[in-house]
Amino acid sequence: MGWRLTLRPYVLIVPALLLTCGILYPFGLGLYYTLFDFSASKPQPDMVRFENYTTVFTQEAFWNSAWVTVLYAVGAALVETVLGVAVALLLHRSTLLGRVLEKILILPLMIAPVIAAIIWKLMLQPSVGVVNYLLRPFGLGGVQWTDTPTGALLSSIAVDVWVYTPFVAILALAGLRSLPTSPFEAAAVDGAGWWYTFRRLTLPMLWPYVLVAVIFRFMDSLKVFDIIYALTEGGPGDSTVVLQIRAYLEAIRFQRYSFGISYTIVLWAVVYLAAMVLVKHLGKIQRKAAEVTT
């Protein structure tokens, strides 16, 4: 019996160890391949060391994709956070309508993002789409939603917002329901108004939950692929070619495998650094929220 107790911790760690190896092995192999010039036209590659990364950072296409990625990630995360918190505040009132909407809220999360993007692509068609049909009485029919650079980017962000705002709302609602009631009761006794209570109590204590949602959504938006590719395929032109799509184009469509993998490694580094900064900021926010609670 004693040897079983001694062996149990090592047995329990095996699944985590296998998962770690399953993640690190392809990552390390991809990192190794970026040191070569492997492509469909060159099946016997030569080692070029860091030449792929040098080419990536000197390409105008990379900086265009990086700018589009930042615009998309910041825009989507910002709108989803504001709308998600607003929806959570409305649902927190515990009315009959709120309880019904709370059940409906998760429906977009039950649809695969690529399916949602295809549905919205059909709905945004200029001539036969339902969106223009509904806007036609207001004199706004015939809008080229995904046929212009600005419209394509905004449409992609709008689809992302439609799919993932419920995720932020659910996290914010869970945070609202976990807040202590004593500070709000004391504020009500002192005659504090809604805006003062929200600004001084609700928002500071809710910030850790909101920032967790922001971290998830910002990280996910930085490496978006499915929504944009299904909606616009990166077009028109390069207006919606984010880094993930750029990596796909280089590695799969142009069959420059090592060069495409270099894009994914650069994207991984960007996501990792952004996550480190946001998580560090999350610790400060949690400490401030604890001070407000006490």
Side-chain angles (χ1 to χ4, degrees), residues 24-63:
L24 292 181
Y25 174 74
F27 176 80
L29 189 62
L31 191 63
Y32 175 73
Y33 281 156
T34 62
L35 303 178
F36 294 84
D37 57 353
F38 186 56
S39 65
S41 62
K42 196 169 185 179
Q44 300 297 327
D46 298 321
M47 177 172 282
V48 294
R49 301 185 184 275
F50 299 104
E51 184 177 322
N52 286 321
Y53 296 103
T54 303
T55 306
V56 165
F57 287 114
T58 54
Q59 272 193 337
E60 184 180 351
F62 166 78
W63 295 108

Side-chain angles (χ1 to χ4, degrees), residues 87-107 170 173 177:
V87 170
L89 290 172
L90 292 175
L91 296 179
H92 188 54
R93 296 180 178 273
S94 298
T95 62
L96 177 60
L97 179 61
R99 288 193 292 271
V100 173
L101 291 177
E102 185 178 343
K103 305 301 184 294
I104 301 176
L105 188 66
I106 64 172
L107 289 180
I170 290 172
L173 184 61
R177 290 177 175 173

Side-chain angles (χ1 to χ4, degrees), residues 15 17 36 67 130 166 285:
L17 184 62
F36 294 84
W67 176 241
V130 67
I285 294 294

Side-chain angles (χ1 to χ4, degrees), residues 111-152:
I111 303 174
V114 66
I115 301 300
I118 293 174
I119 293 172
W120 276 98
K121 184 177 183 178
L122 296 174
M123 293 172 61
L124 293 174
Q125 287 293 321
S127 56
V128 298
V130 67
V131 174
N132 277 348
Y133 175 78
L134 295 175
L135 293 177
R136 193 169 294 122
F138 303 97
L140 299 176
V143 178
Q144 305 291 325
W145 294 102
T146 59
D147 294 339
T148 63
T150 302

